Amino acid sequence: EGRRWEGEERRRSLMDRAPSYGFSLVVVRHPSTKKYLVVEEPASWGYWLPGGRVDPGESFEKAAVRETLEEGGLEVVLEGLLEFQYVPRISGGARMRMIFLASPKNLSQPPKSIPDFESQGAFWASAEEISQIRSEGKNGLYLRGDELYRWTQYVENGGVVHPLSVISSKER
């Protein structure tokens, strides 16, 4: 019995020192043009999806909407969940990410055009244009990672979009 208690103390201690972090990423697709929102990251990091860390006390959904407004300049409506990723760390804690599909709330609103510390701006691009940026670049920049390309291809190819109701912030 004593050993079991020691193991529990050790586990709790690890949890306190190694927190888990949540991130929301958003694939924003314009329903009329079928183009995707592309964010130009600050400091010449390249092009990526709108997204970022979930703030303390904030839901993944609210973080997704906030990050898209901050980085892309658009208010969005979340349409569904593309994927939930959970990556445990050996030292404790984990990285969790939710990748959402969204559409702009105002279809005629242009994306962000004034640079700030969140992003250099944003623009609409077709899946084909994103593929071209991936291979040839645009204005000397390339995709920050492969995710923008992979997720746009996933949506273009009819990938599964899970209803937002699969997300719960309550214990049952």
Side-chain angles (χ1 to χ4, degrees):
E1 187 70 43
R3 278 223 175 276
R4 197 165 129 210
W5 175 251
E6 289 171 15
E8 179 65 18
E9 284 294 315
R10 183 176 174 277
R11 185 183 71 77
R12 285 185 187 186
S13 175
L14 282 173
M15 286 174 54
D16 290 343
R17 288 183 304 192
S20 294
Y21 298 102
F23 297 89
S24 289
L25 300 177
V26 189
V27 178
V28 183
R29 186 174 191 213
H30 196 288
S32 304
T33 66
K34 307 299 183 206
K35 290 188 174 190
Y36 296 88
L37 186 66
V38 178
V39 170
E40 183 179 339
E41 293 283 301
S44 300
W45 289 348
Y47 302 107
W48 205 43
L49 298 164
R53 187 179 239 167
V54 177
D55 290 339
E58 184 179 43
S59 70
F60 280 88
E61 300 95 309
K62 286 188 179 181
V65 170
R66 175 182 52 78
E67 288 288 347
T68 305
L69 182 60
E70 290 174 356
E71 296 183 0
L74 297 177
E75 290 186 65
V76 294
V77 175
L78 299 180
E79 296 179 2
L81 180 68
L82 299 175
E83 187 171 88
F84 173 73
Q85 300 170 346
Y86 177 82
V87 181
R89 304 286 186 210
I90 292 171
S91 59
R95 181 180 84 158
M96 297 168 287
R97 298 192 325 166
M98 287 194 184
I99 297 93
F100 293 94
L101 179 64
S103 60
K105 200 178 259 190
N106 176 349
L107 300 183
S108 61
Q109 181 182 6
K112 179 179 180 176
S113 61
I114 299 172
D116 62 19
F117 66 94
E118 295 286 349
S119 73
Q120 293 300 305
F123 59 93
W124 293 109
S126 67
E128 185 178 305
E129 290 168 323
I130 291 168
S131 181
Q132 187 174 359
I133 294 169
R134 180 181 184 228
S135 60
E136 300 170 23
K138 176 180 174 164
N139 300 327
L141 297 176
Y142 291 84
L143 300 183
R144 175 178 153 187
D146 222 26
E147 287 183 299
L148 175 59
Y149 172 76
R150 283 188 303 115
W151 286 113
T152 56
Q153 291 301 305
Y154 180 84
V155 172
E156 287 291 304
N157 292 317
V160 176
V161 180
H162 304 280
L164 292 172
S165 62
V166 301
I167 304 167
S168 175
S169 299
K170 300 175 187 169
E171 290 187 34
R172 296 183 194 256

